[in-house]
Amino acid sequence: MPQQDHKSVRTAGSASSRPGRELLSRGRIARRVAELGDQIAARYDRGELTVLVVLSGAVIFAADLVRRLTVPVRLEFADLHSYPGCSTRSQGIQAGARLPQSLGGRDVLVVDDILDSGQTLGWLLEQVGRQGPRSLSACVLLRKDRADLRRRVEADWVGFDIEDLFVVGYGLDYDNLYRNLGGVHVLEPGQREGAP
Ligand code: IMP
Ligand code: MG
């Protein structure tokens, strides 16, 4: 069913127009996030869980996901920047990344918005692993089909596999815009003013 808030979404346009076609509706995401939450809750059914949220793209996903969990959850945040400004391919982890240093001995679940090249998740799992967590796993909302590379890292839970498109909404941004869209939308090349 078409949703009111997507009425003005167009399929093409200038950089100033709204993003293009909806890839995943708000309702579809909600159903999948609930499923993921229930699977993760079944895996961590005792003790407590530390959820490490990758800023800023994963905050909306993580907010919905953690509310499906039944064990006590500690929320921690990893402040990384791999897509500065108008980039649409990862530029590697930028200097100044900030991580909590209290993850030793904990059951840690890393939550990120999207697995693209895998640089972000690979780096983060390595850093957290050095702190000696009791267990370490990862959940991403989206995973891009990148036929051009072999990732050296995988996520334990994946919401949706998508084509190699640049997407925004439900937390994902372009130049820090569009995170508030309820669904996930494709940002066409013509709408990415300033992209390298
Ligand atoms: P990777 O390091 O190449 O796997 O990139 C992962 C990070 O880049 C994610 O945490 C996102 O913040 C960002 N990213 C990758 N693809 C997209 C996209 O299509 N839209 C918005 N952000 C993206
Ligand atoms: Mg990110």
Side-chain angles (χ1 to χ4, degrees):
M1 202 174 81
Q3 293 184 4
Q4 286 289 324
D5 57 341
H6 296 139
K7 254 185 179 165
S8 54
V9 169
R10 304 202 317 233
T11 50
S14 68
S16 59
S17 66
R18 284 166 171 273
R21 76 184 157 89
E22 184 184 77
L23 198 62
L24 298 167
S25 69
R26 185 195 289 255
R28 200 169 161 204
I29 294 169
R31 286 191 293 278
R32 184 66 183 129
V33 172
E35 279 175 10
L36 286 173
D38 293 348
Q39 287 170 15
I40 293 168
R43 162 76 176 73
Y44 299 100
D45 60 350
R46 62 195 66 197
E48 59 176 49
L49 180 63
T50 299
V51 174
L52 179 58
V53 183
V54 183
L55 294 174
S56 303
V59 290
I60 291 175
F61 172 42
D64 287 340
L65 189 70
V66 295
R67 284 179 291 171
R68 294 294 294 196
L69 304 182
T70 43
V71 288
V73 167
R74 281 177 203 274
L75 271 187
E76 300 279 6
F77 297 91
D79 193 359
L80 315 178
H81 305 277
S82 53
Y83 269 53
C86 299
S87 313
T88 56
R89 280 286 188 226
S90 180
Q91 309 294 301
I93 307 297
Q94 305 291 297
R98 280 192 309 219
L99 289 185
Q101 296 300 317
S102 53
L103 304 174
R106 299 225 178 128
D107 287 308
V108 178
L109 173 70
V110 173
V111 175
D112 203 359
D113 51 1
I114 188 164
L115 185 57
D116 183 6
S117 70
Q119 286 185 68
T120 304
L121 192 61
W123 183 87
L124 191 52
L125 292 177
E126 198 179 300
Q127 297 297 316
V128 175
R130 285 188 193 156
Q131 293 186 33
R134 196 161 84 112
S135 70
L136 180 56
S137 57
C139 175
V140 295
L141 178 72
L142 306 173
R143 176 169 60 190
K144 275 192 202 180
D145 180 7
R146 291 284 303 272
D148 57 321
L149 54 83
R150 273 193 65 187
R151 289 191 192 101
R152 63 182 180 91
V153 67
E154 261 311 331
D156 302 86
W157 289 277
V158 176
F160 300 93
D161 279 300
I162 65 167
E163 287 171 66
D164 185 10
L165 299 164
F166 194 80
V167 291
V168 295
Y170 195 67
L172 292 115
D173 76 305
Y174 172 69
D175 199 17
N176 212 15
L177 285 171
Y178 308 126
R179 296 191 197 275
N180 58 311
L181 293 172
V184 169
H185 295 250
V186 178
L187 195 68
E188 308 292 352
Q191 297 173 303
R192 302 181 209 155
E193 197 169 73

